[in-house]
Amino acid sequence: MTPPRSLFLLCLLLTVGCSTLHGVTAPRDAREAAGAEKSSTAPDCNVKKCVALTFDGGPSEPTPKLLDILKEKKVHATFFLQGKGHVDTYPGTVLRMAKEGHEIGNHTWSHKVLTELSAKEVGAEMKPVQDAVRDITGRAPVLMRPPQGRTSDDVSAVMKRMGLAQILWSVTAKDYATTDGSLITRRVLEQTRRDGIILLHDRHKGTVPAVPGIIDSLRRRGYTVVTVSQLMAPAVPEPGGVYRP
């Protein structure tokens, strides 16, 4: 459980009202609380220096090139997919993600800020993506990322009913505001720490070209690049829970 001061800082970072968000958990804390059981399919992040690589807002036109890079580098990532103009436009890319072992999460249908919606409206933002990903891949997401990282106890209650854990981040390159790949790389490397979660956007022009150098640099620094679920294993993210390093 995040202590009060950390929760206060988190609220400042994410512009979330502190009185309406409880139960933020670090992936490392969840992993350690799960005990000593090891996963046969995930690196042991209690031993290895792990960091999760995530991408928001796709799939988009550049995504297949990103998948080529990840395949070449033998890296699996977590993709938080947006519905309108993305999942509904590039279903073949979604299927490829699943077939190549990447983790697929929900990033809402139209990127509305969930804390500004009613519970019914929040559900309406999530359900079409759940249904579309299930139709394409045979499995609905169990992870989601709220737009702008903005969530609350009310949003968490909806996510709990829908079986979705909320995944925030600790590293952002603000790649939506620059096409400079070297700047994106530098921002990622400056912020990355063990058990962190990196947020990038494959739809933006400078991001995909920066990914090979980011992966190579992280590996030179001793990091093992994993999915969110691998970072937390053997813990399983709980529906409605909020996770942030």
Side-chain angles (χ1 to χ4, degrees), residues 86-223:
H86 298 278
V87 171
D88 63 355
T89 304
Y90 302 96
T93 303
V94 177
L95 181 60
R96 180 182 170 187
M97 287 176 183
K99 286 185 173 181
E100 294 185 357
H102 299 289
E103 185 168 45
I104 296 176
N106 189 329
H107 195 47
T108 75
W109 180 255
S110 58
H111 209 257
K112 293 179 180 178
V113 175
L114 300 182
T115 53
E116 298 176 356
L117 305 179
S118 68
K120 183 177 180 180
E121 290 169 333
V122 170
E125 272 291 294
M126 306 306 299
K127 188 176 184 300
V129 181
Q130 292 293 99
D131 293 344
V133 173
R134 183 191 295 110
D135 290 344
I136 294 167
T137 69
R139 184 170 183 262
V142 296
L143 306 179
M144 65 83 66
R145 175 167 283 156
Q148 299 181 20
R150 293 177 63 184
T151 186
S152 67
D153 289 346
D154 291 338
V155 172
S156 296
V158 178
M159 296 307 117
K160 185 174 182 178
R161 291 195 295 271
M162 299 188 74
L164 288 162
Q166 303 170 84
I167 309 299
L168 305 183
W169 61 89
S170 58
V171 179
T172 174
K174 297 183 179 180
D175 52 351
Y176 50 81
T178 181
T179 59
D180 185 342
S182 61
L183 177 59
I184 292 169
T185 301
R186 185 167 72 251
R187 286 173 172 171
V188 168
L189 296 178
E190 286 175 349
Q191 297 173 54
T192 297
R193 302 291 183 271
R194 183 174 182 174
D195 293 315
I197 298 177
I198 298 168
L199 165 61
L200 293 169
H201 300 80
D202 42 307
R203 63 197 290 183
H204 296 305
K205 185 176 180 180
T207 302
V208 172
V211 169
I214 289 172
I215 292 172
D216 290 346
S217 295
L218 289 172
R219 284 175 165 165
R220 282 195 296 269
R221 296 180 181 202
Y223 288 101

Side-chain angles (χ1 to χ4, degrees), residues 19 41 46 51 55 64 68 83 116 159 167 180 204 223 227 232:
S19 63
T41 60
N46 285 322
V51 63
F55 296 90
D68 290 343
E116 298 176 356
M159 296 307 117
I167 309 299
D180 185 342
H204 296 305
Y223 288 101
T227 67
M232 294 183 62

